[in-house]
Amino acid sequence: MDSGSADLWVGGENCQSTAGGGCGNHTFLGTGSSSSFVDSGKPFSVTYGSGAVNGTIVTDNVSVAGLNLN
């Protein structure tokens, strides 16, 4: 979870990494783990100093520490 951003992003169930251990041992979100997950099919890409991430923009209902993020 990238908490330093205006947008929330988490890894997807089909996470693939070109860097060793990039996906890590995490719980990911997707249609298999969420009934409210909707993939828009619209691509996104973010570049950080240590690497980049890309995927598609999705919407989902997420709860973190009892706070609902819709």
Side-chain angles (χ1 to χ4, degrees), residues 2-9 48:
D2 179 2
S3 61
S5 172
D7 298 315
L8 170 71
W9 67 265
Y48 296 96

Side-chain angles (χ1 to χ4, degrees), residues 25-69:
N25 184 19
H26 303 285
T27 301
F28 298 109
L29 298 179
T31 56
S33 59
S34 173
S35 61
S36 57
F37 181 93
V38 178
D39 189 339
S40 73
K42 296 177 183 177
F44 82 94
S45 179
V46 179
T47 302
Y48 296 96
S50 60
V53 62
N54 61 64
T56 57
I57 297 172
V58 304
T59 59
D60 204 348
N61 298 326
V62 179
S63 178
V64 177
L67 299 172
N68 294 323
L69 309 173

